[in-house]
Amino acid sequence: KFQKEQEHDCLFIGNRYKPEWLMEIKNATSNSYIHIYNQTENFITGPDRISKFLNSKFSLAFQGDGGIGSIQNGVITERVFESLSFGLVTLTDHPFVEKYTNGIVKCVSSPSEAIQYINELKNNETMFFDIVNRGFDFCIKNRNYSIVAENILKEVYKFKCL
């Protein structure tokens, strides 16, 4: 069973996705870490990023509404898988992610829904750690590099054999 003490309630590291949501959630939680960067400045170092993931309870894996990496294009942000593998309960704004992860990741449609879910799990340690452990299991079974490499090789093989 996975357990740890966390410094931060919520974590967001990424581009400027849903900034109003992020600020509302940050203001409603006791100690959240929000680090917004763009493509050219305000980056966080790898060791600092890992430290923040390891010292947080919840990840806000929100993504853009437009562009190549958007929900409309069916893209799932890598933050979902990073968060699960670091042991964070993960919230997203992408409806498919909840289905894809069999309900491990929670899709929220508003900041108030996110805050309600966070508070519910902060008050229910059993449910919190159940979700954390299911997230680990999901990553081990579905998202490790061996499986990803195997899927890529299958696609390459199909392409070469056509």
Side-chain angles (χ1 to χ4, degrees):
K1 181 177 177 183
F2 175 83
Q3 292 188 349
K4 65 179 180 176
E5 291 297 318
Q6 295 91 353
E7 177 183 351
H8 302 291
D9 280 342
C10 295
L11 168 75
F12 177 86
I13 298 173
N15 218 321
R16 186 171 295 278
Y17 304 130
K18 304 256 188 305
E20 301 84 13
W21 285 31
L22 294 171
M23 290 306 109
E24 189 172 333
I25 294 166
K26 181 179 181 180
N27 292 334
T29 56
S30 58
N31 185 19
S32 294
Y33 180 81
I34 308 296
H35 184 93
I36 296 173
Y37 62 83
N38 64 32
Q39 301 301 323
T40 58
E41 58 188 31
N42 200 27
F43 288 102
I44 185 170
T45 67
D48 286 344
R49 176 191 186 110
I50 291 168
S51 175
K52 294 301 181 187
F53 271 99
L54 290 172
N55 288 295
S56 300
K57 297 174 188 165
F58 299 90
S59 174
L60 307 172
F62 301 145
Q63 47 191 110
D65 294 323
I68 294 172
S70 70
I71 292 170
Q72 289 77 9
N73 286 328
V75 174
I76 299 175
T77 179
E78 70 277 7
R79 297 291 181 269
V80 168
F81 306 107
E82 289 173 345
S83 301
L84 294 175
S85 65
F86 277 112
L88 283 74
V89 171
T90 305
L91 292 81
T92 184
D93 55 342
H94 193 322
F96 177 72
V97 175
E98 185 169 343
K99 181 179 178 181
Y100 179 73
T101 61
N102 299 314
I104 296 166
V105 174
K106 173 75 171 172
C107 180
V108 295
S109 59
S110 69
S112 60
E113 184 181 357
I115 293 162
Q116 180 181 351
Y117 184 69
I118 290 163
N119 288 332
E120 178 184 333
L121 292 184
K122 283 172 66 176
N123 293 316
N124 188 335
E125 188 175 281
T126 302
M127 185 184 293
F128 175 86
F129 284 112
D130 176 62
I131 294 168
V132 167
N133 287 307
R134 290 186 324 162
F136 275 139
D137 290 343
F138 178 83
C139 286
I140 290 167
K141 291 176 185 166
N142 300 294
R143 299 308 301 173
N144 66 52
Y145 284 118
S146 297
I147 292 169
V148 171
E150 181 181 335
N151 290 335
I152 290 170
L153 290 173
K154 284 179 184 175
E155 291 302 313
V156 169
Y157 181 76
K158 281 195 279 187
F159 176 74
K160 288 190 164 220
C161 291
L162 292 178

